Amino acid sequence: MPLDIAHDPASRRFAVRVEGYEAELLYRRDGGRLTIDHTGVPEAIGGRGIAGELVKAALEYARAEGLRVVPACSYSAAYVQHHPEYADLVD
């Protein structure tokens, strides 16, 4: 099922609600860099690829904005390693 991921630039956050639970990705933006600091998915909705979709949304945002990406959280770093189509974004 497609997820309705919301981006709140003022809060530097991507978020999605699934079955009443909220998953999020938090980032920092410094000049031409977007640093992914945290990706969190509640256990109740884990194992469905939600974290991956959040990271993908952040990477697509970075690409559209012409930003370099620093995958500081372990999940985002692993995601980028397994998805070479985003290697050109990574610092």
Side-chain angles (χ1 to χ4, degrees):
M1 89 178 137
L3 297 174
D4 186 19
I5 296 174
H7 179 212
D8 181 359
S11 297
R12 297 173 308 278
R13 181 175 191 262
F14 288 85
V16 63
R17 290 191 81 67
V18 176
E19 297 175 7
Y21 296 93
E22 187 171 74
E24 68 178 358
L25 177 146
L26 304 176
Y27 67 89
R28 286 177 282 140
R29 194 167 163 178
D30 181 28
R33 282 201 172 106
L34 183 143
T35 301
I36 301 173
D37 290 319
H38 171 74
T39 305
V41 177
E43 190 175 319
I45 58 171
R48 303 181 194 186
I50 296 169
E53 290 300 314
L54 287 166
V55 173
K56 181 179 176 181
L59 292 169
E60 290 297 331
Y61 168 73
R63 187 181 303 277
E65 294 289 311
L67 301 171
R68 303 292 295 159
V69 175
V70 178
C73 83
S74 60
Y75 186 88
S76 64
Y79 184 92
V80 171
Q81 282 186 330
H82 290 96
H83 293 86
E85 64 270 27
Y86 296 110
D88 62 309
L89 298 175
V90 178
D91 262 354

Coordinates of all heavy atoms in Angstrom, one line a residue:
M1 N 0.8 -1.2 0.0 CA 0.0 0.0 0.0 C 0.9 1.2 0.0 O 1.9 1.3 0.7 CB -0.9 0.0 1.2 CG -0.3 0.6 2.5 SD -1.4 0.6 3.8 CE -0.3 0.1 5.1
P2 N 0.5 2.2 -0.8 CA 1.3 3.5 -0.8 C 1.1 4.2 0.5 O 0.0 4.3 1.1 CB 0.7 4.2 -2.0 CG -0.5 3.5 -2.4 CD -0.5 2.2 -1.8
L3 N 2.2 4.8 1.0 CA 2.1 5.6 2.2 C 2.0 7.1 1.9 O 2.5 7.6 1.0 CB 3.4 5.4 3.0 CG 3.7 3.9 3.5 CD1 5.0 3.9 4.1 CD2 2.6 3.5 4.4
D4 N 1.2 7.8 2.8 CA 1.0 9.2 2.6 C 2.0 9.9 3.5 O 1.7 10.3 4.7 CB -0.4 9.5 3.0 CG -0.8 11.0 2.7 OD1 0.0 11.7 2.0 OD2 -1.7 11.5 3.3
I5 N 3.3 10.0 3.1 CA 4.3 10.6 3.9 C 4.2 12.1 3.8 O 4.2 12.7 2.7 CB 5.7 10.1 3.4 CG1 5.8 8.6 3.6 CG2 6.8 10.9 4.1 CD1 7.1 8.0 3.0
A6 N 4.2 12.8 5.0 CA 4.2 14.2 5.0 C 5.6 14.8 5.3 O 6.3 14.2 6.2 CB 3.2 14.6 6.1
H7 N 5.9 15.9 4.7 CA 7.2 16.5 4.9 C 6.9 17.9 5.6 O 6.1 18.7 5.0 CB 7.9 16.7 3.6 CG 9.2 17.4 3.8 ND1 9.8 18.2 2.8 CD2 10.1 17.4 4.8 CE1 10.9 18.7 3.3 NE2 11.2 18.2 4.5
D8 N 7.5 18.1 6.7 CA 7.4 19.4 7.4 C 8.7 20.0 7.5 O 9.5 19.8 8.4 CB 6.8 19.2 8.8 CG 6.6 20.5 9.6 OD1 6.9 21.6 9.0 OD2 6.1 20.4 10.7
P9 N 9.1 20.9 6.5 CA 10.4 21.5 6.5 C 10.7 22.3 7.7 O 11.9 22.4 8.1 CB 10.4 22.4 5.2 CG 9.3 21.8 4.4 CD 8.3 21.3 5.3
A10 N 9.7 23.0 8.3 CA 10.0 23.8 9.5 C 10.4 22.9 10.7 O 11.3 23.4 11.5 CB 8.7 24.6 9.9
S11 N 9.9 21.7 10.7 CA 10.3 20.8 11.8 C 11.5 19.9 11.4 O 11.9 19.0 12.2 CB 9.1 19.9 12.2 OG 8.1 20.7 12.8
R12 N 11.9 20.0 10.1 CA 12.9 19.1 9.5 C 12.6 17.6 9.8 O 13.3 16.9 10.4 CB 14.3 19.5 10.1 CG 14.7 20.9 9.7 CD 15.9 21.3 10.4 NE 16.0 21.2 11.8 CZ 15.4 22.0 12.7 NH1 14.8 23.1 12.3 NH2 15.5 21.8 14.0
R13 N 11.4 17.3 9.2 CA 10.8 16.0 9.6 C 10.0 15.4 8.4 O 9.2 16.1 7.8 CB 10.0 16.2 10.8 CG 9.3 15.0 11.4 CD 8.6 15.5 12.7 NE 8.1 14.4 13.5 CZ 6.9 14.0 13.4 NH1 6.0 14.6 12.7 NH2 6.5 13.0 14.2
F14 N 10.1 14.1 8.2 CA 9.2 13.4 7.4 C 8.4 12.4 8.3 O 9.0 11.8 9.2 CB 9.9 12.5 6.3 CG 10.5 13.3 5.2 CD1 11.8 13.9 5.4 CD2 9.8 13.5 4.0 CE1 12.4 14.6 4.4 CE2 10.4 14.3 3.0 CZ 11.7 14.8 3.2
A15 N 7.1 12.3 8.1 CA 6.3 11.5 9.0 C 5.2 10.8 8.3 O 4.7 11.3 7.3 CB 5.8 12.3 10.2
V16 N 4.7 9.7 8.8 CA 3.6 8.9 8.3 C 2.9 8.3 9.4 O 3.5 7.8 10.4 CB 4.0 7.9 7.2 CG1 4.9 6.8 7.7 CG2 2.8 7.4 6.5
R17 N 1.5 8.2 9.3 CA 0.7 7.5 10.3 C 0.2 6.2 9.7 O -0.3 6.3 8.6 CB -0.4 8.4 10.8 CG 0.0 9.5 11.7 CD -1.1 10.2 12.3 NE -1.6 9.6 13.5 CZ -0.9 9.5 14.7 NH1 0.3 9.9 14.8 NH2 -1.5 8.9 15.7
V18 N 0.4 5.1 10.4 CA -0.1 3.8 9.9 C -0.8 3.2 11.1 O -0.2 3.0 12.2 CB 1.1 3.0 9.4 CG1 0.6 1.6 9.1 CG2 1.8 3.6 8.3
E19 N -2.0 2.8 11.0 CA -2.8 2.2 12.0 C -2.7 2.9 13.3 O -2.7 2.3 14.4 CB -2.4 0.7 12.2 CG -2.6 -0.1 10.9 CD -2.0 -1.5 11.0 OE1 -1.6 -1.9 12.1 OE2 -2.1 -2.2 9.9
G20 N -2.7 4.2 13.3 CA -2.7 5.0 14.5 C -1.3 5.3 15.1 O -1.2 6.0 16.1
Y21 N -0.3 4.7 14.5 CA 1.1 4.9 15.0 C 1.8 5.8 14.0 O 1.5 5.8 12.8 CB 1.8 3.6 15.0 CG 1.3 2.6 16.0 CD1 0.3 1.6 15.6 CD2 1.7 2.6 17.4 CE1 -0.2 0.7 16.6 CE2 1.2 1.7 18.3 CZ 0.2 0.8 17.9 OH -0.3 -0.1 18.8
E22 N 2.7 6.6 14.6 CA 3.5 7.5 13.8 C 4.9 7.1 13.6 O 5.6 6.9 14.6 CB 3.4 8.9 14.3 CG 4.0 10.0 13.4 CD 3.8 11.4 13.8 OE1 4.4 11.8 14.8 OE2 2.9 12.0 13.2
A23 N 5.4 7.0 12.4 CA 6.8 6.8 12.1 C 7.4 8.1 11.6 O 6.7 8.9 11.0 CB 7.0 5.7 11.1
E24 N 8.7 8.3 11.9 CA 9.3 9.6 11.5 C 10.8 9.4 11.1 O 11.5 8.5 11.4 CB 9.2 10.6 12.6 CG 10.1 10.2 13.8 CD 10.1 11.2 14.9 OE1 9.4 12.2 14.8 OE2 10.8 11.0 16.0
L25 N 11.2 10.4 10.3 CA 12.6 10.6 10.0 C 12.9 12.0 10.3 O 12.2 13.0 9.9 CB 12.8 10.3 8.5 CG 14.2 10.5 8.0 CD1 14.6 9.5 6.9 CD2 14.5 11.9 7.4
L26 N 14.0 12.3 11.0 CA 14.4 13.6 11.4 C 15.7 13.9 10.7 O 16.6 13.0 10.6 CB 14.6 13.7 12.9 CG 13.4 13.3 13.8 CD1 13.8 13.4 15.2 CD2 12.2 14.2 13.5
Y27 N 15.8 15.2 10.3 CA 17.1 15.5 9.5 C 17.5 17.0 9.9 O 16.7 17.7 10.5 CB 16.9 15.4 8.0 CG 15.9 16.4 7.4 CD1 16.3 17.7 7.0 CD2 14.5 16.1 7.3 CE1 15.4 18.6 6.5 CE2 13.6 17.0 6.8 CZ 14.1 18.2 6.3 OH 13.2 19.1 5.8
R28 N 18.7 17.3 9.6 CA 19.2 18.6 9.7 C 19.6 19.1 8.3 O 20.0 18.3 7.5 CB 20.5 18.7 10.5 CG 20.3 18.5 12.0 CD 21.7 18.5 12.7 NE 22.3 17.1 12.6 CZ 23.6 16.9 12.3 NH1 24.4 17.9 12.3 NH2 24.0 15.7 12.2
R29 N 19.5 20.4 8.1 CA 19.9 20.9 6.8 C 20.9 22.0 7.1 O 20.6 23.0 7.8 CB 18.7 21.5 6.1 CG 19.0 21.8 4.6 CD 17.7 22.0 3.9 NE 18.1 22.6 2.6 CZ 17.3 22.9 1.7 NH1 16.0 22.7 1.8 NH2 17.7 23.5 0.6
D30 N 22.1 21.9 6.5 CA 23.1 22.9 6.7 C 23.7 23.2 5.3 O 24.4 22.4 4.7 CB 24.2 22.3 7.6 CG 25.4 23.2 7.9 OD1 25.1 24.5 7.9 OD2 26.5 22.8 8.1
G31 N 23.4 24.4 4.8 CA 23.9 24.8 3.5 C 23.4 23.8 2.5 O 22.2 23.5 2.3
G32 N 24.3 23.2 1.8 CA 23.9 22.2 0.7 C 23.9 20.8 1.1 O 23.9 19.9 0.3
R33 N 23.8 20.6 2.5 CA 23.7 19.2 3.0 C 22.5 18.9 3.8 O 22.0 19.7 4.5 CB 24.9 19.0 3.9 CG 26.2 18.7 3.2 CD 27.1 18.0 4.2 NE 28.3 17.6 3.4 CZ 29.5 18.2 3.5 NH1 29.7 19.2 4.4 NH2 30.5 17.8 2.8
L34 N 22.0 17.7 3.6 CA 20.9 17.2 4.4 C 21.4 16.0 5.2 O 21.9 15.0 4.6 CB 19.7 16.8 3.5 CG 18.5 16.3 4.3 CD1 17.2 16.7 3.5 CD2 18.4 14.8 4.4
T35 N 21.4 16.1 6.5 CA 21.9 15.0 7.4 C 20.8 14.3 8.0 O 20.0 14.9 8.7 CB 22.9 15.6 8.5 OG1 23.9 16.3 7.9 CG2 23.4 14.4 9.4
I36 N 20.6 13.0 7.7 CA 19.6 12.2 8.3 C 20.1 11.7 9.7 O 21.0 10.9 9.8 CB 19.2 11.0 7.4 CG1 18.8 11.5 6.0 CG2 18.1 10.1 8.0 CD1 18.5 10.4 5.0
D37 N 19.4 12.2 10.7 CA 19.8 11.9 12.1 C 19.1 10.8 12.7 O 19.6 10.1 13.6 CB 19.5 13.2 13.0 CG 20.5 14.3 12.6 OD1 21.7 14.0 12.4 OD2 20.0 15.5 12.6
H38 N 17.9 10.5 12.3 CA 17.1 9.5 13.0 C 15.9 9.0 12.1 O 15.3 9.8 11.5 CB 16.5 10.1 14.3 CG 15.5 9.3 15.0 ND1 15.8 8.1 15.7 CD2 14.1 9.4 15.1 CE1 14.7 7.6 16.2 NE2 13.7 8.3 15.8
T39 N 15.7 7.7 12.2 CA 14.6 7.1 11.5 C 13.9 6.2 12.6 O 14.6 5.3 13.1 CB 15.0 6.3 10.3 OG1 15.7 7.1 9.4 CG2 13.8 5.7 9.6
G40 N 12.7 6.5 12.9 CA 12.0 5.7 13.9 C 10.7 5.2 13.5 O 9.8 5.9 13.0
V41 N 10.5 3.9 13.7 CA 9.2 3.2 13.4 C 8.8 2.4 14.7 O 9.5 1.6 15.1 CB 9.3 2.3 12.2 CG1 8.0 1.6 11.9 CG2 9.8 3.1 11.0
P42 N 7.6 2.7 15.2 CA 7.1 1.9 16.3 C 7.1 0.4 16.0 O 6.8 0.0 14.9 CB 5.7 2.4 16.6 CG 5.7 3.8 16.0 CD 6.6 3.7 14.8
E43 N 7.4 -0.4 17.0 CA 7.5 -1.8 16.8 C 6.2 -2.4 16.3 O 6.2 -3.3 15.5 CB 7.8 -2.5 18.2 CG 8.1 -4.0 18.1 CD 8.5 -4.5 19.4 OE1 9.3 -3.9 20.2 OE2 8.1 -5.7 19.7
A44 N 5.0 -1.8 16.7 CA 3.7 -2.3 16.3 C 3.5 -2.3 14.8 O 2.7 -3.1 14.2 CB 2.6 -1.5 17.0
I45 N 4.2 -1.4 14.1 CA 4.1 -1.3 12.6 C 5.4 -1.6 11.9 O 5.6 -1.3 10.7 CB 3.5 0.1 12.2 CG1 4.4 1.2 12.7 CG2 2.0 0.2 12.6 CD1 4.0 2.6 12.1
G46 N 6.4 -2.2 12.6 CA 7.7 -2.5 12.1 C 7.6 -3.6 11.1 O 6.6 -4.3 11.0
G47 N 8.7 -3.8 10.3 CA 8.8 -4.9 9.4 C 8.0 -4.7 8.1 O 7.8 -5.7 7.4
R48 N 7.5 -3.6 7.8 CA 6.7 -3.3 6.6 C 7.3 -2.5 5.6 O 6.7 -2.1 4.6 CB 5.3 -2.7 7.0 CG 4.6 -3.5 8.0 CD 3.3 -2.8 8.3 NE 2.7 -3.4 9.5 CZ 1.5 -3.1 10.0 NH1 0.7 -2.2 9.3 NH2 1.0 -3.6 11.1
G49 N 8.6 -2.1 5.8 CA 9.3 -1.2 4.9 C 9.0 0.3 5.0 O 9.3 1.1 4.2
I50 N 8.4 0.6 6.2 CA 8.0 2.0 6.4 C 9.3 2.9 6.5 O 9.4 4.0 5.9 CB 7.1 2.1 7.6 CG1 5.8 1.4 7.3 CG2 6.9 3.6 8.0 CD1 4.9 1.2 8.5
A51 N 10.3 2.4 7.3 CA 11.5 3.2 7.4 C 12.2 3.4 6.1 O 12.7 4.5 5.8 CB 12.5 2.5 8.4
G52 N 12.2 2.4 5.2 CA 12.7 2.6 3.9 C 12.0 3.6 3.1 O 12.6 4.4 2.3
E53 N 10.7 3.6 3.2 CA 9.9 4.6 2.5 C 10.2 6.0 3.0 O 10.3 7.0 2.2 CB 8.5 4.3 2.5 CG 8.1 3.1 1.7 CD 8.4 3.2 0.2 OE1 8.1 4.2 -0.4 OE2 9.0 2.2 -0.3
L54 N 10.4 6.2 4.3 CA 10.8 7.5 4.8 C 12.1 8.0 4.3 O 12.3 9.1 3.9 CB 10.8 7.4 6.3 CG 9.4 7.4 7.0 CD1 9.6 7.0 8.5 CD2 8.6 8.7 6.9
V55 N 13.1 7.0 4.3 CA 14.4 7.4 3.8 C 14.4 7.7 2.3 O 15.0 8.7 1.9 CB 15.5 6.3 4.1 CG1 16.8 6.6 3.4 CG2 15.7 6.1 5.6
K56 N 13.6 7.0 1.6 CA 13.5 7.2 0.1 C 12.9 8.6 -0.1 O 13.3 9.4 -1.0 CB 12.6 6.1 -0.5 CG 12.4 6.3 -2.0 CD 11.5 5.2 -2.5 CE 11.3 5.4 -4.0 NZ 10.4 4.4 -4.6
A57 N 11.9 9.0 0.7 CA 11.2 10.3 0.6 C 12.3 11.4 0.8 O 12.3 12.4 0.1 CB 10.1 10.4 1.5
A58 N 13.1 11.2 1.9 CA 14.1 12.2 2.2 C 15.2 12.3 1.1 O 15.6 13.4 0.7 CB 14.8 11.9 3.5
L59 N 15.5 11.2 0.5 CA 16.5 11.2 -0.5 C 16.0 11.8 -1.8 O 16.7 12.6 -2.5 CB 17.0 9.7 -0.8 CG 17.8 9.1 0.3 CD1 18.0 7.6 0.0 CD2 19.2 9.7 0.5
E60 N 14.7 11.6 -2.1 CA 14.1 12.2 -3.3 C 14.0 13.7 -3.1 O 14.2 14.5 -4.0 CB 12.8 11.5 -3.6 CG 12.8 10.1 -4.1 CD 13.6 10.0 -5.4 OE1 13.5 11.0 -6.2 OE2 14.2 8.9 -5.7
Y61 N 13.7 14.1 -1.9 CA 13.6 15.5 -1.5 C 15.0 16.2 -1.7 O 15.1 17.2 -2.4 CB 13.1 15.7 -0.1 CG 13.3 17.1 0.4 CD1 12.5 18.2 0.0 CD2 14.3 17.4 1.3 CE1 12.7 19.5 0.5 CE2 14.5 18.7 1.8 CZ 13.7 19.7 1.4 OH 13.9 21.0 1.9
A62 N 16.0 15.5 -1.2 CA 17.4 16.0 -1.4 C 17.8 16.1 -2.8 O 18.4 17.1 -3.3 CB 18.4 15.1 -0.6
R63 N 17.4 15.1 -3.6 CA 17.8 15.2 -5.1 C 17.1 16.4 -5.7 O 17.7 17.1 -6.5 CB 17.3 13.8 -5.7 CG 17.8 13.8 -7.2 CD 17.4 12.5 -7.9 NE 17.8 11.3 -7.2 CZ 19.0 10.7 -7.4 NH1 19.9 11.3 -8.1 NH2 19.3 9.6 -6.8
A64 N 15.8 16.5 -5.4 CA 15.0 17.6 -6.0 C 15.6 19.0 -5.6 O 15.5 20.0 -6.4 CB 13.6 17.5 -5.6
E65 N 16.1 19.1 -4.4 CA 16.7 20.4 -3.9 C 18.1 20.5 -4.2 O 18.7 21.6 -3.9 CB 16.5 20.4 -2.4 CG 15.0 20.5 -1.9 CD 14.4 21.8 -2.3 OE1 15.0 22.9 -1.9 OE2 13.3 21.8 -2.8
G66 N 18.8 19.5 -4.8 CA 20.2 19.6 -5.2 C 21.1 19.5 -4.0 O 22.2 20.1 -4.0
L67 N 20.7 18.8 -3.0 CA 21.4 18.7 -1.7 C 22.3 17.4 -1.7 O 21.9 16.4 -2.3 CB 20.5 18.6 -0.5 CG 19.5 19.8 -0.4 CD1 18.5 19.5 0.7 CD2 20.3 21.1 0.0
R68 N 23.4 17.4 -1.0 CA 24.2 16.3 -0.7 C 23.6 15.6 0.6 O 23.0 16.3 1.4 CB 25.6 16.6 -0.5 CG 26.3 17.3 -1.6 CD 26.5 16.5 -2.8 NE 27.4 15.4 -2.5 CZ 27.5 14.3 -3.2 NH1 26.7 14.1 -4.3 NH2 28.4 13.4 -2.9
V69 N 23.7 14.3 0.8 CA 23.1 13.7 1.9 C 24.2 13.0 2.8 O 25.1 12.4 2.3 CB 22.2 12.6 1.4 CG1 21.6 11.8 2.6 CG2 21.0 13.2 0.6
V70 N 24.0 13.2 4.1 CA 24.9 12.5 5.1 C 24.0 11.6 5.8 O 23.1 12.0 6.6 CB 25.6 13.5 6.0 CG1 26.4 12.8 7.1 CG2 26.4 14.5 5.3
P71 N 24.1 10.3 5.6 CA 23.2 9.3 6.3 C 23.8 9.0 7.7 O 24.5 8.0 7.8 CB 23.2 8.1 5.4 CG 24.5 8.2 4.6 CD 24.8 9.6 4.5
A72 N 23.5 9.8 8.7 CA 24.1 9.7 10.0 C 23.5 8.6 10.8 O 24.2 8.0 11.7 CB 24.1 11.0 10.7
C73 N 22.2 8.3 10.6 CA 21.6 7.2 11.4 C 21.9 5.9 10.7 O 22.1 5.8 9.5 CB 20.1 7.4 11.6 SG 19.1 6.9 10.3
S74 N 22.0 4.8 11.5 CA 22.5 3.5 10.9 C 21.5 3.0 9.9 O 21.9 2.4 8.9 CB 22.6 2.5 12.0 OG 21.4 2.3 12.8
Y75 N 20.2 3.2 10.1 CA 19.2 2.7 9.1 C 19.4 3.4 7.7 O 19.4 2.7 6.7 CB 17.8 2.8 9.5 CG 16.9 2.2 8.6 CD1 16.6 0.8 8.7 CD2 16.4 2.8 7.5 CE1 15.8 0.2 7.8 CE2 15.6 2.2 6.5 CZ 15.3 0.9 6.7 OH 14.5 0.2 5.7
S76 N 19.5 4.7 7.8 CA 19.7 5.4 6.5 C 21.0 5.1 5.8 O 21.1 5.0 4.6 CB 19.6 7.0 6.7 OG 20.6 7.5 7.5
A77 N 22.1 4.8 6.6 CA 23.3 4.4 6.0 C 23.2 3.1 5.3 O 23.7 2.9 4.2 CB 24.4 4.4 7.1
A78 N 22.5 2.1 6.0 CA 22.3 0.8 5.4 C 21.4 0.9 4.1 O 21.7 0.2 3.1 CB 21.7 -0.1 6.4
Y79 N 20.4 1.8 4.2 CA 19.5 1.9 3.0 C 20.3 2.4 1.8 O 20.2 1.8 0.7 CB 18.4 2.9 3.4 CG 17.4 3.0 2.2 CD1 16.2 2.3 2.2 CD2 17.6 3.9 1.2 CE1 15.3 2.4 1.2 CE2 16.7 4.1 0.2 CZ 15.5 3.3 0.2 OH 14.6 3.4 -0.8
V80 N 21.1 3.4 2.0 CA 21.9 3.9 0.9 C 22.9 2.9 0.3 O 23.1 2.8 -0.9 CB 22.7 5.2 1.3 CG1 23.6 5.7 0.2 CG2 21.7 6.3 1.6
Q81 N 23.5 2.1 1.2 CA 24.4 1.0 0.7 C 23.6 0.0 -0.1 O 24.2 -0.5 -1.1 CB 25.0 0.3 1.9 CG 26.1 1.0 2.5 CD 26.8 0.2 3.6 OE1 26.2 -0.6 4.3 NE2 28.1 0.5 3.8
H82 N 22.4 -0.3 0.2 CA 21.6 -1.3 -0.6 C 20.8 -0.7 -1.8 O 20.2 -1.4 -2.5 CB 20.6 -2.0 0.4 CG 21.3 -2.9 1.3 ND1 21.7 -2.5 2.6 CD2 21.8 -4.1 1.2 CE1 22.3 -3.5 3.2 NE2 22.4 -4.5 2.4
H83 N 20.9 0.6 -2.0 CA 20.2 1.3 -3.1 C 21.2 2.2 -3.8 O 21.2 3.4 -3.6 CB 19.0 2.1 -2.5 CG 17.9 1.2 -2.0 ND1 17.9 0.7 -0.7 CD2 16.9 0.6 -2.6 CE1 16.9 -0.1 -0.5 NE2 16.2 -0.1 -1.7
P84 N 22.0 1.6 -4.7 CA 23.0 2.4 -5.4 C 22.5 3.5 -6.2 O 23.3 4.4 -6.6 CB 23.8 1.3 -6.2 CG 22.8 0.2 -6.3 CD 22.0 0.2 -5.1
E85 N 21.2 3.5 -6.5 CA 20.7 4.6 -7.3 C 20.8 6.0 -6.5 O 20.6 7.0 -7.1 CB 19.2 4.3 -7.7 CG 18.2 4.2 -6.6 CD 18.0 2.8 -6.0 OE1 19.0 2.0 -6.1 OE2 17.0 2.5 -5.5
Y86 N 21.1 5.9 -5.2 CA 21.2 7.1 -4.5 C 22.7 7.5 -4.1 O 23.0 8.4 -3.4 CB 20.4 7.1 -3.2 CG 18.9 7.0 -3.5 CD1 18.2 5.8 -3.2 CD2 18.2 8.1 -4.0 CE1 16.8 5.8 -3.5 CE2 16.9 8.0 -4.3 CZ 16.2 6.9 -4.0 OH 14.9 6.8 -4.3
A87 N 23.6 6.6 -4.6 CA 25.0 6.8 -4.2 C 25.6 8.2 -4.7 O 26.4 8.7 -4.0 CB 25.9 5.7 -4.9
D88 N 25.0 8.8 -5.7 CA 25.5 10.0 -6.2 C 25.1 11.2 -5.2 O 25.7 12.3 -5.3 CB 24.9 10.4 -7.6 CG 23.4 10.4 -7.6 OD1 22.8 9.5 -7.1 OD2 22.9 11.4 -8.1
L89 N 24.2 11.0 -4.3 CA 23.8 12.0 -3.4 C 24.7 12.0 -2.1 O 24.7 13.0 -1.4 CB 22.4 11.8 -2.9 CG 21.3 11.9 -4.0 CD1 20.0 11.5 -3.4 CD2 21.3 13.2 -4.7
V90 N 25.3 10.9 -1.8 CA 26.0 10.7 -0.5 C 27.3 11.4 -0.4 O 28.2 11.3 -1.3 CB 26.1 9.2 -0.2 CG1 26.8 9.0 1.2 CG2 24.7 8.6 -0.2
D91 N 27.5 12.1 0.8 CA 28.8 12.7 1.1 C 29.5 11.8 2.1 O 28.9 11.1 2.9 CB 28.6 14.0 1.8 CG 28.8 15.2 0.8 OD1 29.2 14.9 -0.4 OD2 28.5 16.3 1.2

